[in-house]
């Protein structure tokens, strides 16, 4: 029997149209050197129409790629909405990638137009001659004449345009096309740890369903004021932009002001109620809030993800600032939301905290399974460990290949899938009620003798020590055991704790055989382009003898 339901495609243009109509008076606030700049969702709707007309004028009449090289701000939101809604494909470039990687991902996606923030224009102008498929550059904000001249000098470029001038000349409504919901809406590249970054292409349908899950799982509503610290070029800012439009939450966009002090000012001045960022951002902010009285009374919940949240960070926010830190897990390949750690109803005390510290309960629309080292599924018993595999409507089923991918890249990409499931590369356990506890990334697990040591467990234990600001643990070669942990530690200001003291402390927290022999104090843990601990760099520094390694008795 067929249903009697209408078939209407799930499109980004619906999010755009309903968001800007039903929540017309909600706002997007962009932080600037001179304080906040405000735009209502009604204006975002008008600008989206104008931007779409402008792009048509620049030759975007099909599924051409439109790239962005931008911070989180109102104009980036307009691009997020307008580009997919008109049938083109948005590629938000990670401005922090190495130049060679930016060149690779832009050429691989094949963008025709790029939108650029003026604050990034000067460094970008050096890359532009290498971005071979681009024809037009749209600059958001004023730039000096010499930077404009440098952009115009790129031989393939037909025009450099000013955002305001370009949009002002356009009609204020657009007839958004009815697209196939399975058409591409946007794309993101993973930061390649080996070889070139891999492209993931999202559809209107995947984005739409993901947005509904994000809104539901994170409990967003009209009246919320969400501080989107997680960049729009990192895994779609975890879905916050579309979710905000869908539910009518206002967005507070930090632009390039990502340090703790301006973030604290935004929270106070803009009465922020929630937000999302990687642990390192919340760690910096905590230090600032502890020292500088700030009114954070409106801030109820902050979402942390991207890497494991140290339990000590969660507790500190809870106890000292009455702010709930909500732990979530996901990946670029998963749009990105996979799980959120809302403790089961009725749990209290230690049990409540145990759930909160997991990566969370798998989102209801997704399927998950754990695969052990022998390739067999392991049970959801909260103990058995395996690699997590997932599938569902917003999980990628392959990587984008424009025909130039090498045989090796194809083989590498194919190895990420297992009979229709995405191999996440994350290792952990699942409880019978679907709470995921990650112990490590497969490539970061330390294989000591026949046993596995979780680098994350050691880091969390170390970061629970009051004298430790940050700690990162990596596996290093060891003659006897194959691999052993090396602990790299950033001391808190004024602390004089030594390796012997930390070794003793760690011995009281984890099994004795897991305690590292090798210790190094460093000024800062190196971070990746999206602010995660960069263990590749630490392993390399160790291999090259760049670390001052101690082996206390
Ligand atoms: P990148 O590969 O550049 O880090 P992603 O943001 O897509 O880009 O990374 C996804 C990975 O980040 C996951 O596979 C997982 O290893 C890690 N991750 C994300 N959220 C968490 C979390 N809450 N706890 C532990 N690891 C996490």
């Amino acid at each position: 029997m067929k249903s009697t339901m209408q078939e209407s495609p799930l499109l980004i243009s619906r999010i755009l149209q309903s968001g800007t109509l039903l929540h017309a008076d909600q706002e997007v606030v962009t932080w600037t050197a001179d304080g906040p700049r405000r735009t209502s969702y009604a204006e975002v709707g008008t600008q989206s129409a104008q931007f779409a007309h402008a792009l048509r004028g620049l030759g975007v009449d099909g599924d051409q790629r439109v790239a962005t090289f931008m911070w989180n701000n109102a104009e980036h939101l307009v691009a997020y909405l307008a580009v997919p809604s008109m049938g083109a494909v948005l590629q938000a470039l990670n401005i922090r990638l190495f130049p060679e990687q930016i060149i690779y991902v832009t050429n691989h996606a094949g963008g025709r137009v790029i939108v650029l923030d003026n604050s990034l224009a000067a460094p970008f102008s050096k890359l532009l001659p290498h971005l071979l498929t681009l024809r037009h550059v749209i600059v958001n904000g004023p730039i000096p004449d010499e930077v404009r001249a440098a952009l115009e000098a790129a031989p393939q470029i037909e025009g450099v345009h000013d955002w305001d001038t370009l949009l002002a000349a356009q009609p204020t409504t657009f007839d958004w096309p009815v697209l196939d919901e399975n058409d591409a809406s946007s794309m993101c590249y993973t930061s390649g740890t080996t070889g070139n970054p891999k492209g993931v292409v999202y559809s209107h349908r995947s984005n739409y369903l993901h947005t509904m899950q994000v809104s539901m799982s994170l409990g967003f509503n009209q009246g919320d004021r969400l501080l989107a610290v997680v960049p729009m070029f990192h895994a779609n800012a975890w879905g916050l932009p579309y979710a905000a439009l869908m539910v009518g939450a206002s967005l507070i966009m930090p632009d390039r002001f990502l340090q703790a002090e301006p973030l604290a000012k935004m929270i106070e001045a803009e009465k922020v109620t929630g937000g999302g960022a990687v642990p390192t951002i919340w760690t910096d902010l905590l230090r600032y809030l502890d020292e500088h009285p700030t009114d954070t009374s409106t801030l109820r919940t902050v979402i942390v993800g991207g890497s494991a949240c140290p339990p000590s960070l969660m507790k500190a926010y809870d106890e000292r600032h009455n702010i709930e830190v909500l732990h979530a897990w996901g990946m670029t390949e998963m749009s990105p939301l996979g799980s959120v750690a809302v403790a089961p109803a009725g749990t209290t005390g230690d049990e409540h905290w145990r759930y909160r510290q997991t990566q969370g309960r798998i989102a209801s629309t997704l399927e998950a399974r754990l695969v052990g080292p022998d390739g067999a599924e392991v049970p959801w018993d909260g103990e058995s460990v395996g690699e997590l595999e997932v599938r569902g409507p917003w999980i990628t089923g392959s990587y984008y290949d424009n025909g130039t991918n090498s045989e090796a890249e194809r083989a590498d990409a194919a190895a990420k899938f297992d009979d229709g499931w995405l191999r996440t590369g994350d290792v952990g356990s699942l409880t019978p009620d679907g709470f995921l506890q990650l112990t490590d990334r497969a490539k970061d697990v330390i294989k000591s003798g026949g046993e596995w040591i979780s680098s994350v467990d050691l880091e969390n234990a170390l970061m629970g020590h009051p004298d430790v600001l940050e700690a990162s643990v990596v596996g290093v070669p060891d003659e006897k055991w194959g691999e052993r942990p090396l602990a790299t530690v950033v001391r808190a200001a004024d602390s004089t704790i030594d390796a012997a003291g930390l070794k003793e402390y760690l011995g009281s927290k984890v099994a004795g055989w897991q305690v590292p022999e090798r210790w190094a104090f460093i000024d800062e843990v190196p971070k990746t382009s999206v602010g995660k601990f960069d263990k590749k760099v630490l392993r390399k520094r160790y291999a090259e003898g760049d670390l001052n390694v101690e082996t206390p008795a």
Side-chain angles (χ1 to χ4, degrees):
M1 184 179 180
K2 282 255 183 191
S3 87
T4 60
M5 290 297 111
Q6 302 181 1
E7 273 186 37
S8 64
L10 304 175
L11 300 177
I12 307 285
S13 55
R14 187 91 298 282
I15 300 178
L16 161 58
Q17 287 173 283
S18 60
T20 56
L21 177 74
L22 306 179
H23 308 293
D25 57 347
Q26 300 302 305
E27 57 178 3
V28 46
V29 179
T30 305
W31 209 251
T32 75
D34 308 320
R37 177 162 68 81
R38 296 172 189 286
T39 320
S40 69
Y41 279 173
E43 288 166 65
V44 166
T46 304
Q47 283 205 14
S48 296
Q50 292 175 309
F51 184 50
H53 281 292
L55 288 174
R56 284 273 191 266
L58 300 180
V60 178
D61 53 8
D63 63 356
Q64 285 95 348
R65 265 63 79 207
V66 175
T68 58
F69 200 75
M70 304 175 87
W71 303 105
N72 288 11
N73 53 38
E75 290 71 25
H76 207 170
L77 182 67
V78 168
Y80 247 61
L81 293 165
V83 172
S85 294
M86 71 187 287
V89 181
L90 180 92
Q91 182 192 18
L93 292 166
N94 180 343
I95 60 174
R96 297 212 173 89
L97 289 181
F98 293 118
E100 314 81 74
Q101 290 184 319
I102 295 175
I103 293 167
Y104 173 82
V105 300
T106 316
N107 287 337
H108 192 262
R112 178 178 173 84
V113 179
I114 190 160
V115 193
L116 176 65
D117 272 333
N118 62 346
S119 56
L120 301 166
F124 179 81
S125 67
K126 299 194 180 60
L127 296 174
L128 187 56
H130 306 283
L131 309 179
L132 305 175
T133 61
L134 291 179
R135 295 293 174 267
H136 292 274
V137 180
I138 302 171
V139 185
N140 178 30
I143 49 170
D145 289 343
E146 63 274 15
V147 178
R148 175 177 299 273
L151 293 170
E152 282 169 347
Q156 82 283 23
I157 292 303
E158 294 169 10
V160 175
H161 315 268
D162 167 63
W163 172 280
D164 285 340
T165 320
L166 187 67
L167 267 64
Q170 309 298 335
T172 54
T173 58
F174 191 90
D175 197 6
W176 302 108
V178 178
L179 305 165
D180 181 334
E181 65 178 10
N182 289 305
D183 281 351
S185 64
S186 44
M187 56 197 304
C188 258
Y189 281 73
T190 63
S191 46
T193 39
T194 48
N196 285 318
K198 294 193 216 12
V200 173
V201 185
Y202 309 102
S203 67
H204 286 263
R205 175 186 160 82
S206 72
N207 260 311
Y208 201 100
L209 294 171
H210 179 259
T211 305
M212 293 178 80
Q213 180 86 57
V214 165
S215 309
M216 186 169 73
S217 294
L218 301 176
F220 295 148
N221 265 307
Q222 207 199 35
D224 281 336
R225 297 178 65 79
L226 304 175
L227 179 64
V229 186
V230 51
M232 292 165 82
F233 57 71
H234 179 209
N236 310 308
W238 301 349
L240 299 185
Y242 291 152
L245 262 289
M246 193 179 264
V247 303
S250 288
L251 281 167
I252 317 302
M253 300 291 216
D255 200 86
R256 63 196 160 88
F257 303 95
L258 298 169
Q259 305 72 23
E261 184 177 349
L263 291 178
K265 291 215 161 70
M266 286 172 223
I267 291 168
E268 185 171 274
E270 292 301 325
K271 303 199 172 2
V272 165
T273 62
V278 291
T280 46
I281 296 264
W282 297 128
T283 304
D284 283 351
L285 183 70
L286 176 69
R287 212 177 324 151
Y288 182 88
L289 295 179
D290 282 347
E291 287 163 14
H292 304 82
T294 305
D295 181 2
T296 59
S297 56
T298 52
L299 187 52
R300 296 187 305 268
T301 304
V302 296
I303 305 147
V304 62
S307 41
C309 178
S312 51
L313 182 68
M314 254 180 213
K315 290 229 162 139
Y317 269 101
D318 190 82
E319 287 161 8
R320 305 212 283 272
H321 300 282
N322 197 24
I323 295 168
E324 178 196 29
V325 175
L326 187 55
H327 198 193
W329 163 84
M331 38 189 321
T332 302
E333 288 87 335
M334 302 173 58
S335 299
L337 189 78
S339 59
V340 181
V342 175
T347 52
T348 52
D350 287 351
E351 192 190 11
H352 173 87
W353 276 107
R354 254 201 319 280
Y355 277 110
R356 293 268 308 277
Q357 289 162 11
T358 67
Q359 271 66 24
R361 204 191 306 247
I362 295 289
S364 51
T365 316
L366 303 179
E367 289 176 85
R369 68 178 186 186
L370 292 169
V371 177
D374 57 357
E377 264 189 63
V378 305
W380 292 27
D381 58 10
E383 283 175 15
S384 308
V385 169
E387 179 178 355
L388 184 72
E389 299 189 347
V390 288
R391 65 180 183 193
W394 57 82
I395 310 295
T396 200
S398 62
Y399 289 100
Y400 176 59
D401 183 352
N402 67 356
T404 67
N405 296 21
S406 67
E407 276 309 312
E409 280 167 332
R410 280 190 197 129
D412 184 40
K416 304 284 181 204
F417 300 93
D418 176 9
D419 197 21
W421 295 76
L422 171 75
R423 292 198 161 116
T424 64
D426 287 328
V427 172
S429 61
L430 282 161
T431 61
D433 52 354
F435 277 82
L436 172 67
Q437 176 78 67
L438 290 185
T439 47
D440 233 325
R441 277 188 162 190
K443 58 180 187 293
D444 293 333
V445 175
I446 300 156
K447 298 172 186 87
S448 168
E451 301 288 342
W452 284 7
I453 301 176
S454 156
S455 64
V456 175
D457 283 354
L458 299 187
E459 287 164 1
N460 283 344
L462 281 169
M463 287 192 278
H465 190 292
D467 283 348
V468 175
L469 197 56
E470 280 180 339
S472 182
V473 178
V474 295
V476 296
D478 182 270
E479 262 184 28
K480 182 158 174 214
W481 300 104
E483 221 175 44
R484 286 294 297 160
L486 158 75
T488 62
V489 176
V490 182
R491 285 191 192 98
D494 305 329
S495 159
T496 53
I497 186 102
D498 60 6
L502 285 176
K503 202 174 161 186
E504 190 185 330
Y505 167 79
L506 200 54
S508 69
K509 301 280 170 195
V510 302
W513 61 272
Q514 301 197 347
V515 175
E517 296 76 25
R518 298 171 181 83
W519 295 77
F521 289 97
I522 53 179
D523 294 335
E524 196 188 343
V525 175
K527 311 276 173 13
T528 69
S529 65
V530 291
K532 306 184 188 189
F533 289 177
D534 198 337
K535 301 196 173 183
K536 261 192 331 280
V537 172
L538 286 173
R539 285 189 202 102
K540 186 156 174 269
R541 276 194 202 161
Y542 177 79
E544 292 174 353
D546 278 354
L547 294 174
N548 194 359
V549 179
E550 304 171 38
T551 50

